[in-house]
């Protein structure tokens, strides 16, 4: 009996080790899907995580795996939604992205790792891209509204109800009006290990789709919403988390590298991590 138990324990430990090594060496994450607001929800999480939005409930992202997919319905002329970032992305990450699947042309409104708002057009087949600075900076822990109005050959970009610029979109022959839509992640993938760094980390409120875009209504909404503070990492998220006791070295989201500095100065403990 003694040797039988020892053998079972050995197998459990060995299989656990094999599983962890297979996961660590994998180039992809196991992804789940669900339905949120009639769109496809993608994430490594077991189920969608919700927070309080400014229009209702907002979906929480994680900065590396969570995003929403949909096919844009005909007749939609504009899209807008509210976002709140919990942290700046590891690399340039997309809030809203559109893809002309037939021509493999994409357009995305993104935030850089420094918080700058940019627009990027890409030809995914040719591997070419063009970045447009929108001369605006996004702050973390604040609601901001992004809107896109789709014209015949360009996109009009809006931030908090104010028009920023028009971005031309050159199409090839046999143009299709069917666009794929994505919130929280770009169609262009860039990975660090198994993690996609084109995902945002924060909250995405319920998107609105407009057949007739009235910017005046968005301006009024922006004046009200921007005075509210988003709750990005509620205490309930960590209530039963074994890895987050009273004192822990984990951020509310994303990840940290190795700890290299720990010292006591002016009645406070300071911790520094490798960038």
């Amino acid at each position: 009996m003694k040797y039988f138990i020892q053998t079972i324990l050995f197998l459990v430990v060995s299989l656990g080790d094999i599983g962890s090594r297979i996961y660590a060496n994998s180039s992809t994450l196991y992804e789940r899907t669900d339905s949120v607001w009639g769109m496809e929800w993608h994430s490594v999480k077991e189920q969608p995580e919700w927070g309080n939005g400014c229009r209702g409930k907002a979906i929480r992202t994680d900065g590396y795996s969570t995003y929403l997919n949909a096919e844009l319905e005909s007749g939609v002329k504009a899209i807008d939604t509210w976002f709140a970032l919990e942290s700046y992305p590891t690399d340039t990450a997309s809030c809203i992205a559109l893809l002309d699947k037939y021509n493999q042309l994409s357009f995305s409104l993104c935030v850089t790792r420094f918080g700058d708002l940019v627009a990027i057009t890409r030809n995914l087949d040719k591997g070419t891209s063009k970045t447009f600075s929108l001369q605006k900076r996004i702050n973390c822990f604040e609601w901001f509204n992004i809107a896109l109005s789709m014209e015949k050959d360009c996109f009009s970009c809006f931030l908090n109800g104010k028009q920023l610029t028009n971005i031309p979109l050159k199409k090839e022959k046999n143009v299709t009006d069917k666009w794929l839509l994505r919130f929280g992640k770009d169609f262009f993938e860039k990975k660090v290990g198994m993690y996609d760094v084109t995902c945002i980390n924060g909250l995405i409120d319920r998107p609105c789709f407009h057949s007739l875009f009235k910017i005046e209504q968005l301006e009024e909404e922006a004046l009200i919403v921007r005075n509210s503070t988003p709750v990005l990492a509620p205490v309930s998220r960590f209530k039963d988390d074994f890895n987050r006791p009273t004192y822990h070295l984990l951020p509310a989201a994303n990840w940290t590298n190795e700890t290299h500095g720990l010292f006591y100065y002016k009645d406070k403990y300071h911790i520094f991590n490798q960038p």
Side-chain angles (χ1 to χ4, degrees), residues 199-225:
C199 298
I200 64 168
N201 172 47
L203 294 172
I204 303 175
D205 207 337
R206 187 185 183 100
C208 285
F209 302 93
H210 309 269
S211 56
L212 180 62
F213 190 45
K214 296 182 178 180
I215 190 61
E216 298 82 8
Q217 294 179 355
L218 196 56
E219 287 180 315
E220 293 175 4
E221 185 182 28
L223 290 174
I224 299 171
V225 172

Side-chain angles (χ1 to χ4, degrees), residues 46-67:
E46 292 186 359
Q47 58 187 11
E49 184 181 359
W50 298 92
N52 291 324
C54 41
R55 287 173 172 163
K57 290 294 184 182
I59 197 75
R60 189 180 302 282
T61 65
D62 54 20
Y64 62 92
S65 78
T66 305
Y67 60 96

Side-chain angles (χ1 to χ4, degrees), residues 131 230 264 272:
T131 301
Y264 185 78
F272 293 87

Side-chain angles (χ1 to χ4, degrees), residues 16 20 45 62 81 103 127 132 145 160 167 184 220 232 251 267 271:
S20 64
K45 309 295 184 183
D62 54 20
T81 195
N103 293 299
F132 302 83
N145 181 280
N160 297 324
I167 305 294
E220 293 175 4
L232 289 147
D267 299 324
I271 302 167

Side-chain angles (χ1 to χ4, degrees), residues 115-152:
D116 298 315
L117 188 64
V118 297
I120 303 177
T121 57
R122 286 190 173 91
N123 186 313
L124 299 179
D125 277 341
K126 297 179 180 179
T128 57
S129 66
K130 187 173 183 180
T131 301
F132 302 83
S133 173
L134 301 182
Q135 304 296 315
K136 292 293 182 180
R137 185 177 177 84
I138 301 299
N139 295 322
C140 290
F141 305 103
E142 290 183 6
W143 287 111
F144 63 97
N145 181 280
I146 285 181
L148 286 177
S149 176
M150 291 165 281
E151 311 298 335
K152 185 176 181 181

Side-chain angles (χ1 to χ4, degrees), residues 58-197:
I59 197 75
R60 189 180 302 282
T61 65
D62 54 20
Y64 62 92
S65 78
T66 305
Y67 60 96
L68 297 171
N69 261 0
E71 186 170 306
L72 201 62
E73 295 181 1
S74 60
V76 173
K77 299 299 182 184
I79 312 159
D80 90 272
T81 195
W82 289 89
F83 298 87
L85 297 182
E86 190 168 37
S87 63
Y88 290 134
T90 304
D91 208 315
T92 301
S94 174
C95 294
I96 299 178
L98 286 162
L99 174 66
D100 176 348
K101 193 175 181 180
Y102 185 87
N103 293 299
Q104 286 295 289
L105 299 176
S106 72
F107 175 85
S108 51
L109 278 175
C110 305
V111 178
T112 70
R113 60 193 179 119
F114 303 108
D116 298 315
L117 188 64
V118 297
I120 303 177
T121 57
R122 286 190 173 91
N123 186 313
L124 299 179
D125 277 341
K126 297 179 180 179
T128 57
S129 66
K130 187 173 183 180
T131 301
F132 302 83
S133 173
L134 301 182
Q135 304 296 315
K136 292 293 182 180
R137 185 177 177 84
I138 301 299
N139 295 322
C140 290
F141 305 103
E142 290 183 6
W143 287 111
F144 63 97
N145 181 280
I146 285 181
L148 286 177
S149 176
M150 291 165 281
E151 311 298 335
K152 185 176 181 181
D153 55 359
C154 71
F155 287 102
S156 295
C157 307
F158 299 81
L159 176 66
N160 297 324
K162 303 292 184 182
Q163 185 170 359
L164 300 179
T165 189
N166 293 326
I167 305 294
L169 189 65
K170 184 180 178 181
K171 289 189 176 183
E172 309 295 335
K173 294 180 180 180
N174 300 319
V175 174
T176 177
D177 288 329
K178 289 191 175 181
W179 291 87
L180 297 181
L181 175 63
R182 183 169 286 178
F183 292 97
K185 180 180 180 292
D186 209 336
F187 286 100
F188 168 78
E189 288 192 348
K190 183 176 181 180
K191 290 188 175 182
V192 175
M194 69 178 76
Y195 299 105
D196 195 319
V197 294

